[in-house]
Each structure stands twice: as structure tokens, then as C-alpha cells.
Amino acid sequence: MKFLNIKALFILIAALTINSYLIGQSVPQRNSDLLNETNQYVKRVNIDEGRVANKNLLNSFIELTIKDNWYNEIKFWTSAQWGIKESDGNISKQYELNGKDLTTDGFDKRPKKITDGELLGVKYDGSNDYTSNSDVTVQNPLSLLIVFKGNETANENILIDSKGNKKHAVSIEKNKDGVNELAVRTAGEVFIKGIKSGINILYIEFNTKNSRVYLNGELVYSGVIGKSEIDGLLIGRGSIKNSTVYFDGLIYETGIINNVISDEARTNLLSMIKQVYKVQ
């Protein structure tokens, strides 16, 4: 019996030692992944003669996604604080994290880069400007983040839509009382209150019967939205009631996650985004 107790103690010590070693190795591995992903993005932008405005914010975002284990779930992510290429005062390219860069067909339809205090934003004029990428394809479950500031007087202001045949429009529309509401049109149609003046952080979890919508970190809707699918991404232009509508305002950041991440990961993401854009 004494021999068995000693043997069990030895096995326990060995297991704890191996576990401590693995934990010790995880941090350098994360740091290596972080440095590699950041440098790859910056190198790609520089080679293409673009400019990364804030490498620290890029680094912090990648670090968070690696730490919370959803970096590989990112389907699409751009930020005006990261890589942008300008030509004659207009944005010719917004560099996406994994290479699905945003461009525009036609010079006269390109948005502009705007300095908004300490932040950079992409300014869409509400009548002609848009950006797109045909390679962004995803279906639910998925999560969508948009950081924006819209023209509050516009009756219809579309943020994104699907570029192909699928219906996936997210817009801001005035209701019969003249109040701006969020409109989400996929297989169904949902209208949600809560849009405020200034910068808004919109986060939607598309999960068929258990979808959730967050505005500025607060849950404002939980329930059915309907099946969601994006086959090509349009930003700043889309269809509302069979009419083409454009976005009038600033879009700072757009992200799509090919899943619904954990509550803790979502809370961490929205907390970081609120801090970056100084949203209470």
C-alpha cells in the first residue's frame, strides 16, 4: 500500500510538472503568432504602397482574438485605423486582415478618408460611394460588427448588404414617428430601437432562432432574425424595398466572424472597441 501511495504521488508530480511546462510554452507561442500575423499584414500593406495608421491598435486586436481563441474564425475584418491606400484624395483600397481587401469599381465612387478627432473614418457620401469584395461568403451562425456614425437626418441609410443574390441588408431607417431604428433584413425583417447620436457600435449574432443584437455593448434584441447568408459584401450601398440606397456618414470598422463566439469573448471584444472609439 505504501508503495502504491508513493507511485501515485510520483505520477501526480510528473503530471503537474508537464502541465506547468505546457502553460509556460503557451505564452511564447501566442506572442509568436501575434508578431507573425501583425508583421504579415503590415508587410502586405507596405509592399502595396498603402499605410498602416495605427499598428498598436492592429496589434491589440490580433492579440485579443488569439487570447480568446477566435482569430481563425475571422471571415472578414477592416478598420480605418489600420491599412488604407489613397489615390488623389480618395480611398482606392481598404486592407482586410486576411487579404479580402475592399475596393470600388470606378474612381468617382470611391469614399474618402476623414480625420475625426483622434480617429480615422471612411466617409461615404450617401449618393454614390461604396466599397465591396466578392470573395466574402459566409452563412449563419455568424457575427457582424459595424462601428459607424450616420447622417441622422437621412430617412434611409444602408450600412451593408450582400453583393450577390442573397439578402442580408443592415440599415438605419426612420419610423413613422421620425425616430431612427436599426433594420435587419435577411430571410425575415426586424426593426430595433436604440440608435444614438454620434458613434454607434453594432454587434449582431445571427443564429436563426436565437439571434442577438447589441448596440454600444447593450443587448437590445434577442429572438428570431432568420437565416443569414452573405455572398459577396457591399459596404455603403444596398437594396431597401427594391430601391438602391447609399450610406451617408462614417464607417470606422467592419468585421465578420464565422461563428458565434463565447459570451466572455464577445464582452472582451466590445469592451475593447468601446475604449478605442470612446463610446460609453
mmCIF file with all atom_site columns, all heavy atoms in Angstrom, residues 177-202:
data_model
loop_
_atom_site.group_PDB
_atom_site.id
_atom_site.type_symbol
_atom_site.label_atom_id
_atom_site.label_alt_id
_atom_site.label_comp_id
_atom_site.label_asym_id
_atom_site.label_entity_id
_atom_site.label_seq_id
_atom_site.pdbx_PDB_ins_code
_atom_site.Cartn_x
_atom_site.Cartn_y
_atom_site.Cartn_z
_atom_site.occupancy
_atom_site.B_iso_or_equiv
_atom_site.pdbx_formal_charge
_atom_site.auth_seq_id
_atom_site.auth_comp_id
_atom_site.auth_asym_id
_atom_site.auth_atom_id
_atom_site.pdbx_PDB_model_num
ATOM 1   N N   . ASP A 1 177 ? -42.650 57.809 -36.578 1.00 0.00 ? 177 ASP A N   1
ATOM 2   C CA  . ASP A 1 177 ? -42.509 58.922 -35.635 1.00 0.00 ? 177 ASP A CA  1
ATOM 3   C C   . ASP A 1 177 ? -41.238 59.733 -35.870 1.00 0.00 ? 177 ASP A C   1
ATOM 4   O O   . ASP A 1 177 ? -40.923 60.643 -35.104 1.00 0.00 ? 177 ASP A O   1
ATOM 5   C CB  . ASP A 1 177 ? -42.516 58.395 -34.197 1.00 0.00 ? 177 ASP A CB  1
ATOM 6   C CG  . ASP A 1 177 ? -43.821 57.691 -33.846 1.00 0.00 ? 177 ASP A CG  1
ATOM 7   O OD1 . ASP A 1 177 ? -44.881 58.209 -34.252 1.00 0.00 ? 177 ASP A OD1 1
ATOM 8   O OD2 . ASP A 1 177 ? -43.774 56.624 -33.200 1.00 0.00 ? 177 ASP A OD2 1
ATOM 9   N N   . GLY A 1 178 ? -40.498 59.392 -36.930 1.00 0.00 ? 178 GLY A N   1
ATOM 10  C CA  . GLY A 1 178 ? -39.271 60.115 -37.249 1.00 0.00 ? 178 GLY A CA  1
ATOM 11  C C   . GLY A 1 178 ? -38.066 59.708 -36.420 1.00 0.00 ? 178 GLY A C   1
ATOM 12  O O   . GLY A 1 178 ? -37.061 60.415 -36.402 1.00 0.00 ? 178 GLY A O   1
ATOM 13  N N   . VAL A 1 179 ? -38.165 58.548 -35.736 1.00 0.00 ? 179 VAL A N   1
ATOM 14  C CA  . VAL A 1 179 ? -37.066 58.056 -34.894 1.00 0.00 ? 179 VAL A CA  1
ATOM 15  C C   . VAL A 1 179 ? -36.248 57.036 -35.676 1.00 0.00 ? 179 VAL A C   1
ATOM 16  O O   . VAL A 1 179 ? -36.804 56.137 -36.334 1.00 0.00 ? 179 VAL A O   1
ATOM 17  C CB  . VAL A 1 179 ? -37.619 57.412 -33.603 1.00 0.00 ? 179 VAL A CB  1
ATOM 18  C CG1 . VAL A 1 179 ? -36.475 56.845 -32.763 1.00 0.00 ? 179 VAL A CG1 1
ATOM 19  C CG2 . VAL A 1 179 ? -38.420 58.431 -32.810 1.00 0.00 ? 179 VAL A CG2 1
ATOM 20  N N   . ASN A 1 180 ? -34.919 57.164 -35.618 1.00 0.00 ? 180 ASN A N   1
ATOM 21  C CA  . ASN A 1 180 ? -34.055 56.224 -36.315 1.00 0.00 ? 180 ASN A CA  1
ATOM 22  C C   . ASN A 1 180 ? -34.080 54.854 -35.652 1.00 0.00 ? 180 ASN A C   1
ATOM 23  O O   . ASN A 1 180 ? -33.930 54.730 -34.431 1.00 0.00 ? 180 ASN A O   1
ATOM 24  C CB  . ASN A 1 180 ? -32.615 56.743 -36.342 1.00 0.00 ? 180 ASN A CB  1
ATOM 25  C CG  . ASN A 1 180 ? -32.416 57.846 -37.363 1.00 0.00 ? 180 ASN A CG  1
ATOM 26  O OD1 . ASN A 1 180 ? -33.012 57.807 -38.444 1.00 0.00 ? 180 ASN A OD1 1
ATOM 27  N ND2 . ASN A 1 180 ? -31.588 58.820 -37.042 1.00 0.00 ? 180 ASN A ND2 1
ATOM 28  N N   . GLU A 1 181 ? -34.281 53.829 -36.472 1.00 0.00 ? 181 GLU A N   1
ATOM 29  C CA  . GLU A 1 181 ? -34.273 52.452 -35.999 1.00 0.00 ? 181 GLU A CA  1
ATOM 30  C C   . GLU A 1 181 ? -33.296 51.629 -36.832 1.00 0.00 ? 181 GLU A C   1
ATOM 31  O O   . GLU A 1 181 ? -33.033 51.949 -37.998 1.00 0.00 ? 181 GLU A O   1
ATOM 32  C CB  . GLU A 1 181 ? -35.659 51.824 -36.116 1.00 0.00 ? 181 GLU A CB  1
ATOM 33  C CG  . GLU A 1 181 ? -36.693 52.382 -35.175 1.00 0.00 ? 181 GLU A CG  1
ATOM 34  C CD  . GLU A 1 181 ? -38.024 51.655 -35.303 1.00 0.00 ? 181 GLU A CD  1
ATOM 35  O OE1 . GLU A 1 181 ? -38.318 51.136 -36.402 1.00 0.00 ? 181 GLU A OE1 1
ATOM 36  O OE2 . GLU A 1 181 ? -38.764 51.618 -34.311 1.00 0.00 ? 181 GLU A OE2 1
ATOM 37  N N   . LEU A 1 182 ? -32.802 50.571 -36.231 1.00 0.00 ? 182 LEU A N   1
ATOM 38  C CA  . LEU A 1 182 ? -31.984 49.611 -36.955 1.00 0.00 ? 182 LEU A CA  1
ATOM 39  C C   . LEU A 1 182 ? -32.912 48.633 -37.663 1.00 0.00 ? 182 LEU A C   1
ATOM 40  O O   . LEU A 1 182 ? -33.843 48.102 -37.062 1.00 0.00 ? 182 LEU A O   1
ATOM 41  C CB  . LEU A 1 182 ? -31.084 48.856 -35.974 1.00 0.00 ? 182 LEU A CB  1
ATOM 42  C CG  . LEU A 1 182 ? -30.235 47.726 -36.565 1.00 0.00 ? 182 LEU A CG  1
ATOM 43  C CD1 . LEU A 1 182 ? -29.119 48.293 -37.433 1.00 0.00 ? 182 LEU A CD1 1
ATOM 44  C CD2 . LEU A 1 182 ? -29.662 46.859 -35.451 1.00 0.00 ? 182 LEU A CD2 1
ATOM 45  N N   . ALA A 1 183 ? -32.672 48.423 -38.962 1.00 0.00 ? 183 ALA A N   1
ATOM 46  C CA  . ALA A 1 183 ? -33.455 47.460 -39.739 1.00 0.00 ? 183 ALA A CA  1
ATOM 47  C C   . ALA A 1 183 ? -32.532 46.348 -40.218 1.00 0.00 ? 183 ALA A C   1
ATOM 48  O O   . ALA A 1 183 ? -31.489 46.614 -40.818 1.00 0.00 ? 183 ALA A O   1
ATOM 49  C CB  . ALA A 1 183 ? -34.125 48.142 -40.925 1.00 0.00 ? 183 ALA A CB  1
ATOM 50  N N   . VAL A 1 184 ? -32.912 45.102 -39.935 1.00 0.00 ? 184 VAL A N   1
ATOM 51  C CA  . VAL A 1 184 ? -32.133 43.940 -40.358 1.00 0.00 ? 184 VAL A CA  1
ATOM 52  C C   . VAL A 1 184 ? -33.028 43.083 -41.246 1.00 0.00 ? 184 VAL A C   1
ATOM 53  O O   . VAL A 1 184 ? -34.078 42.598 -40.812 1.00 0.00 ? 184 VAL A O   1
ATOM 54  C CB  . VAL A 1 184 ? -31.645 43.117 -39.151 1.00 0.00 ? 184 VAL A CB  1
ATOM 55  C CG1 . VAL A 1 184 ? -30.795 41.939 -39.626 1.00 0.00 ? 184 VAL A CG1 1
ATOM 56  C CG2 . VAL A 1 184 ? -30.861 43.989 -38.188 1.00 0.00 ? 184 VAL A CG2 1
ATOM 57  N N   . ARG A 1 185 ? -32.607 42.898 -42.495 1.00 0.00 ? 185 ARG A N   1
ATOM 58  C CA  . ARG A 1 185 ? -33.391 42.119 -43.447 1.00 0.00 ? 185 ARG A CA  1
ATOM 59  C C   . ARG A 1 185 ? -32.558 40.957 -43.965 1.00 0.00 ? 185 ARG A C   1
ATOM 60  O O   . ARG A 1 185 ? -31.568 41.152 -44.665 1.00 0.00 ? 185 ARG A O   1
ATOM 61  C CB  . ARG A 1 185 ? -33.847 42.999 -44.616 1.00 0.00 ? 185 ARG A CB  1
ATOM 62  C CG  . ARG A 1 185 ? -34.847 44.083 -44.234 1.00 0.00 ? 185 ARG A CG  1
ATOM 63  C CD  . ARG A 1 185 ? -35.287 44.882 -45.452 1.00 0.00 ? 185 ARG A CD  1
ATOM 64  N NE  . ARG A 1 185 ? -36.331 45.839 -45.117 1.00 0.00 ? 185 ARG A NE  1
ATOM 65  C CZ  . ARG A 1 185 ? -36.073 47.106 -44.726 1.00 0.00 ? 185 ARG A CZ  1
ATOM 66  N NH1 . ARG A 1 185 ? -34.813 47.531 -44.636 1.00 0.00 ? 185 ARG A NH1 1
ATOM 67  N NH2 . ARG A 1 185 ? -37.071 47.925 -44.430 1.00 0.00 ? 185 ARG A NH2 1
ATOM 68  N N   . THR A 1 186 ? -32.962 39.758 -43.592 1.00 0.00 ? 186 THR A N   1
ATOM 69  C CA  . THR A 1 186 ? -32.351 38.533 -44.134 1.00 0.00 ? 186 THR A CA  1
ATOM 70  C C   . THR A 1 186 ? -33.503 37.699 -44.687 1.00 0.00 ? 186 THR A C   1
ATOM 71  O O   . THR A 1 186 ? -34.208 38.155 -45.572 1.00 0.00 ? 186 THR A O   1
ATOM 72  C CB  . THR A 1 186 ? -31.568 37.787 -43.034 1.00 0.00 ? 186 THR A CB  1
ATOM 73  O OG1 . THR A 1 186 ? -32.443 37.534 -41.925 1.00 0.00 ? 186 THR A OG1 1
ATOM 74  C CG2 . THR A 1 186 ? -30.396 38.632 -42.544 1.00 0.00 ? 186 THR A CG2 1
ATOM 75  N N   . ALA A 1 187 ? -33.710 36.502 -44.139 1.00 0.00 ? 187 ALA A N   1
ATOM 76  C CA  . ALA A 1 187 ? -34.895 35.741 -44.523 1.00 0.00 ? 187 ALA A CA  1
ATOM 77  C C   . ALA A 1 187 ? -36.142 36.372 -43.917 1.00 0.00 ? 187 ALA A C   1
ATOM 78  O O   . ALA A 1 187 ? -37.244 36.205 -44.427 1.00 0.00 ? 187 ALA A O   1
ATOM 79  C CB  . ALA A 1 187 ? -34.757 34.291 -44.059 1.00 0.00 ? 187 ALA A CB  1
ATOM 80  N N   . GLY A 1 188 ? -35.951 37.111 -42.828 1.00 0.00 ? 188 GLY A N   1
ATOM 81  C CA  . GLY A 1 188 ? -37.033 37.856 -42.201 1.00 0.00 ? 188 GLY A CA  1
ATOM 82  C C   . GLY A 1 188 ? -36.695 39.329 -42.140 1.00 0.00 ? 188 GLY A C   1
ATOM 83  O O   . GLY A 1 188 ? -35.762 39.803 -42.802 1.00 0.00 ? 188 GLY A O   1
ATOM 84  N N   . GLU A 1 189 ? -37.445 40.063 -41.344 1.00 0.00 ? 189 GLU A N   1
ATOM 85  C CA  . GLU A 1 189 ? -37.253 41.510 -41.226 1.00 0.00 ? 189 GLU A CA  1
ATOM 86  C C   . GLU A 1 189 ? -37.483 41.914 -39.770 1.00 0.00 ? 189 GLU A C   1
ATOM 87  O O   . GLU A 1 189 ? -38.528 41.612 -39.190 1.00 0.00 ? 189 GLU A O   1
ATOM 88  C CB  . GLU A 1 189 ? -38.236 42.231 -42.143 1.00 0.00 ? 189 GLU A CB  1
ATOM 89  C CG  . GLU A 1 189 ? -38.045 43.724 -42.241 1.00 0.00 ? 189 GLU A CG  1
ATOM 90  C CD  . GLU A 1 189 ? -39.012 44.344 -43.248 1.00 0.00 ? 189 GLU A CD  1
ATOM 91  O OE1 . GLU A 1 189 ? -40.215 44.423 -42.948 1.00 0.00 ? 189 GLU A OE1 1
ATOM 92  O OE2 . GLU A 1 189 ? -38.552 44.736 -44.333 1.00 0.00 ? 189 GLU A OE2 1
ATOM 93  N N   . VAL A 1 190 ? -36.501 42.615 -39.185 1.00 0.00 ? 190 VAL A N   1
ATOM 94  C CA  . VAL A 1 190 ? -36.575 43.012 -37.780 1.00 0.00 ? 190 VAL A CA  1
ATOM 95  C C   . VAL A 1 190 ? -36.212 44.484 -37.665 1.00 0.00 ? 190 VAL A C   1
ATOM 96  O O   . VAL A 1 190 ? -35.236 44.940 -38.281 1.00 0.00 ? 190 VAL A O   1
ATOM 97  C CB  . VAL A 1 190 ? -35.619 42.163 -36.907 1.00 0.00 ? 190 VAL A CB  1
ATOM 98  C CG1 . VAL A 1 190 ? -35.658 42.638 -35.463 1.00 0.00 ? 190 VAL A CG1 1
ATOM 99  C CG2 . VAL A 1 190 ? -35.992 40.687 -36.987 1.00 0.00 ? 190 VAL A CG2 1
ATOM 100 N N   . PHE A 1 191 ? -36.980 45.245 -36.869 1.00 0.00 ? 191 PHE A N   1
ATOM 101 C CA  . PHE A 1 191 ? -36.688 46.649 -36.596 1.00 0.00 ? 191 PHE A CA  1
ATOM 102 C C   . PHE A 1 191 ? -36.395 46.804 -35.105 1.00 0.00 ? 191 PHE A C   1
ATOM 103 O O   . PHE A 1 191 ? -37.148 46.295 -34.261 1.00 0.00 ? 191 PHE A O   1
ATOM 104 C CB  . PHE A 1 191 ? -37.871 47.535 -37.001 1.00 0.00 ? 191 PHE A CB  1
ATOM 105 C CG  . PHE A 1 191 ? -38.114 47.571 -38.482 1.00 0.00 ? 191 PHE A CG  1
ATOM 106 C CD1 . PHE A 1 191 ? -38.958 46.649 -39.081 1.00 0.00 ? 191 PHE A CD1 1
ATOM 107 C CD2 . PHE A 1 191 ? -37.490 48.519 -39.279 1.00 0.00 ? 191 PHE A CD2 1
ATOM 108 C CE1 . PHE A 1 191 ? -39.184 46.664 -40.443 1.00 0.00 ? 191 PHE A CE1 1
ATOM 109 C CE2 . PHE A 1 191 ? -37.707 48.555 -40.645 1.00 0.00 ? 191 PHE A CE2 1
ATOM 110 C CZ  . PHE A 1 191 ? -38.548 47.625 -41.232 1.00 0.00 ? 191 PHE A CZ  1
ATOM 111 N N   . ILE A 1 192 ? -35.306 47.520 -34.804 1.00 0.00 ? 192 ILE A N   1
ATOM 112 C CA  . ILE A 1 192 ? -34.833 47.592 -33.420 1.00 0.00 ? 192 ILE A CA  1
ATOM 113 C C   . ILE A 1 192 ? -34.483 49.033 -33.074 1.00 0.00 ? 192 ILE A C   1
ATOM 114 O O   . ILE A 1 192 ? -33.764 49.711 -33.813 1.00 0.00 ? 192 ILE A O   1
ATOM 115 C CB  . ILE A 1 192 ? -33.578 46.702 -33.242 1.00 0.00 ? 192 ILE A CB  1
ATOM 116 C CG1 . ILE A 1 192 ? -33.898 45.254 -33.647 1.00 0.00 ? 192 ILE A CG1 1
ATOM 117 C CG2 . ILE A 1 192 ? -33.072 46.759 -31.803 1.00 0.00 ? 192 ILE A CG2 1
ATOM 118 C CD1 . ILE A 1 192 ? -32.674 44.424 -33.932 1.00 0.00 ? 192 ILE A CD1 1
ATOM 119 N N   . LYS A 1 193 ? -34.961 49.497 -31.941 1.00 0.00 ? 193 LYS A N   1
ATOM 120 C CA  . LYS A 1 193 ? -34.635 50.834 -31.462 1.00 0.00 ? 193 LYS A CA  1
ATOM 121 C C   . LYS A 1 193 ? -33.337 50.808 -30.669 1.00 0.00 ? 193 LYS A C   1
ATOM 122 O O   . LYS A 1 193 ? -32.894 49.759 -30.222 1.00 0.00 ? 193 LYS A O   1
ATOM 123 C CB  . LYS A 1 193 ? -35.770 51.370 -30.592 1.00 0.00 ? 193 LYS A CB  1
ATOM 124 C CG  . LYS A 1 193 ? -37.068 51.606 -31.350 1.00 0.00 ? 193 LYS A CG  1
ATOM 125 C CD  . LYS A 1 193 ? -38.152 52.159 -30.440 1.00 0.00 ? 193 LYS A CD  1
ATOM 126 C CE  . LYS A 1 193 ? -39.429 52.412 -31.217 1.00 0.00 ? 193 LYS A CE  1
ATOM 127 N NZ  . LYS A 1 193 ? -40.516 52.933 -30.350 1.00 0.00 ? 193 LYS A NZ  1
ATOM 128 N N   . GLY A 1 194 ? -32.739 52.003 -30.490 1.00 0.00 ? 194 GLY A N   1
ATOM 129 C CA  . GLY A 1 194 ? -31.531 52.089 -29.683 1.00 0.00 ? 194 GLY A CA  1
ATOM 130 C C   . GLY A 1 194 ? -30.389 52.843 -30.331 1.00 0.00 ? 194 GLY A C   1
ATOM 131 O O   . GLY A 1 194 ? -29.350 53.068 -29.715 1.00 0.00 ? 194 GLY A O   1
ATOM 132 N N   . ILE A 1 195 ? -30.555 53.259 -31.605 1.00 0.00 ? 195 ILE A N   1
ATOM 133 C CA  . ILE A 1 195 ? -29.524 54.045 -32.271 1.00 0.00 ? 195 ILE A CA  1
ATOM 134 C C   . ILE A 1 195 ? -29.401 55.397 -31.576 1.00 0.00 ? 195 ILE A C   1
ATOM 135 O O   . ILE A 1 195 ? -30.393 56.069 -31.309 1.00 0.00 ? 195 ILE A O   1
ATOM 136 C CB  . ILE A 1 195 ? -29.868 54.262 -33.760 1.00 0.00 ? 195 ILE A CB  1
ATOM 137 C CG1 . ILE A 1 195 ? -29.947 52.904 -34.482 1.00 0.00 ? 195 ILE A CG1 1
ATOM 138 C CG2 . ILE A 1 195 ? -28.835 55.169 -34.438 1.00 0.00 ? 195 ILE A CG2 1
ATOM 139 C CD1 . ILE A 1 195 ? -28.648 52.166 -34.574 1.00 0.00 ? 195 ILE A CD1 1
ATOM 140 N N   . LYS A 1 196 ? -28.183 55.815 -31.287 1.00 0.00 ? 196 LYS A N   1
ATOM 141 C CA  . LYS A 1 196 ? -27.974 57.093 -30.609 1.00 0.00 ? 196 LYS A CA  1
ATOM 142 C C   . LYS A 1 196 ? -27.200 58.057 -31.507 1.00 0.00 ? 196 LYS A C   1
ATOM 143 O O   . LYS A 1 196 ? -26.703 57.679 -32.577 1.00 0.00 ? 196 LYS A O   1
ATOM 144 C CB  . LYS A 1 196 ? -27.211 56.881 -29.307 1.00 0.00 ? 196 LYS A CB  1
ATOM 145 C CG  . LYS A 1 196 ? -25.771 56.448 -29.500 1.00 0.00 ? 196 LYS A CG  1
ATOM 146 C CD  . LYS A 1 196 ? -25.031 56.453 -28.183 1.00 0.00 ? 196 LYS A CD  1
ATOM 147 C CE  . LYS A 1 196 ? -23.526 56.316 -28.407 1.00 0.00 ? 196 LYS A CE  1
ATOM 148 N NZ  . LYS A 1 196 ? -22.754 56.431 -27.166 1.00 0.00 ? 196 LYS A NZ  1
ATOM 149 N N   . SER A 1 197 ? -27.116 59.298 -31.085 1.00 0.00 ? 197 SER A N   1
ATOM 150 C CA  . SER A 1 197 ? -26.332 60.289 -31.823 1.00 0.00 ? 197 SER A CA  1
ATOM 151 C C   . SER A 1 197 ? -24.844 59.965 -31.684 1.00 0.00 ? 197 SER A C   1
ATOM 152 O O   . SER A 1 197 ? -24.401 59.436 -30.666 1.00 0.00 ? 197 SER A O   1
ATOM 153 C CB  . SER A 1 197 ? -26.604 61.693 -31.270 1.00 0.00 ? 197 SER A CB  1
ATOM 154 O OG  . SER A 1 197 ? -27.955 62.053 -31.450 1.00 0.00 ? 197 SER A OG  1
ATOM 155 N N   . GLY A 1 198 ? -24.082 60.299 -32.723 1.00 0.00 ? 198 GLY A N   1
ATOM 156 C CA  . GLY A 1 198 ? -22.639 60.066 -32.674 1.00 0.00 ? 198 GLY A CA  1
ATOM 157 C C   . GLY A 1 198 ? -22.266 58.657 -33.107 1.00 0.00 ? 198 GLY A C   1
ATOM 158 O O   . GLY A 1 198 ? -22.977 58.011 -33.893 1.00 0.00 ? 198 GLY A O   1
ATOM 159 N N   . ILE A 1 199 ? -21.168 58.152 -32.582 1.00 0.00 ? 199 ILE A N   1
ATOM 160 C CA  . ILE A 1 199 ? -20.664 56.835 -32.963 1.00 0.00 ? 199 ILE A CA  1
ATOM 161 C C   . ILE A 1 199 ? -21.490 55.738 -32.309 1.00 0.00 ? 199 ILE A C   1
ATOM 162 O O   . ILE A 1 199 ? -21.789 55.780 -31.117 1.00 0.00 ? 199 ILE A O   1
ATOM 163 C CB  . ILE A 1 199 ? -19.179 56.682 -32.567 1.00 0.00 ? 199 ILE A CB  1
ATOM 164 C CG1 . ILE A 1 199 ? -18.313 57.686 -33.345 1.00 0.00 ? 199 ILE A CG1 1
ATOM 165 C CG2 . ILE A 1 199 ? -18.694 55.257 -32.833 1.00 0.00 ? 199 ILE A CG2 1
ATOM 166 C CD1 . ILE A 1 199 ? -16.850 57.661 -32.955 1.00 0.00 ? 199 ILE A CD1 1
ATOM 167 N N   . ASN A 1 200 ? -21.867 54.743 -33.122 1.00 0.00 ? 200 ASN A N   1
ATOM 168 C CA  . ASN A 1 200 ? -22.573 53.561 -32.635 1.00 0.00 ? 200 ASN A CA  1
ATOM 169 C C   . ASN A 1 200 ? -21.743 52.313 -32.920 1.00 0.00 ? 200 ASN A C   1
ATOM 170 O O   . ASN A 1 200 ? -21.129 52.204 -33.988 1.00 0.00 ? 200 ASN A O   1
ATOM 171 C CB  . ASN A 1 200 ? -23.931 53.414 -33.316 1.00 0.00 ? 200 ASN A CB  1
ATOM 172 C CG  . ASN A 1 200 ? -24.966 54.373 -32.776 1.00 0.00 ? 200 ASN A CG  1
ATOM 173 O OD1 . ASN A 1 200 ? -25.704 54.056 -31.846 1.00 0.00 ? 200 ASN A OD1 1
ATOM 174 N ND2 . ASN A 1 200 ? -25.027 55.573 -33.359 1.00 0.00 ? 200 ASN A ND2 1
ATOM 175 N N   . ILE A 1 201 ? -21.764 51.391 -31.968 1.00 0.00 ? 201 ILE A N   1
ATOM 176 C CA  . ILE A 1 201 ? -21.110 50.092 -32.150 1.00 0.00 ? 201 ILE A CA  1
ATOM 177 C C   . ILE A 1 201 ? -22.212 49.042 -32.251 1.00 0.00 ? 201 ILE A C   1
ATOM 178 O O   . ILE A 1 201 ? -22.920 48.764 -31.281 1.00 0.00 ? 201 ILE A O   1
ATOM 179 C CB  . ILE A 1 201 ? -20.169 49.769 -30.982 1.00 0.00 ? 201 ILE A CB  1
ATOM 180 C CG1 . ILE A 1 201 ? -19.058 50.817 -30.885 1.00 0.00 ? 201 ILE A CG1 1
ATOM 181 C CG2 . ILE A 1 201 ? -19.559 48.367 -31.160 1.00 0.00 ? 201 ILE A CG2 1
ATOM 182 C CD1 . ILE A 1 201 ? -18.229 50.712 -29.615 1.00 0.00 ? 201 ILE A CD1 1
ATOM 183 N N   . LEU A 1 202 ? -22.374 48.485 -33.437 1.00 0.00 ? 202 LEU A N   1
ATOM 184 C CA  . LEU A 1 202 ? -23.399 47.485 -33.686 1.00 0.00 ? 202 LEU A CA  1
ATOM 185 C C   . LEU A 1 202 ? -22.760 46.102 -33.733 1.00 0.00 ? 202 LEU A C   1
ATOM 186 O O   . LEU A 1 202 ? -21.783 45.889 -34.442 1.00 0.00 ? 202 LEU A O   1
ATOM 187 C CB  . LEU A 1 202 ? -24.104 47.779 -35.012 1.00 0.00 ? 202 LEU A CB  1
ATOM 188 C CG  . LEU A 1 202 ? -25.060 46.710 -35.544 1.00 0.00 ? 202 LEU A CG  1
ATOM 189 C CD1 . LEU A 1 202 ? -26.233 46.497 -34.597 1.00 0.00 ? 202 LEU A CD1 1
ATOM 190 C CD2 . LEU A 1 202 ? -25.547 47.075 -36.951 1.00 0.00 ? 202 LEU A CD2 1
#
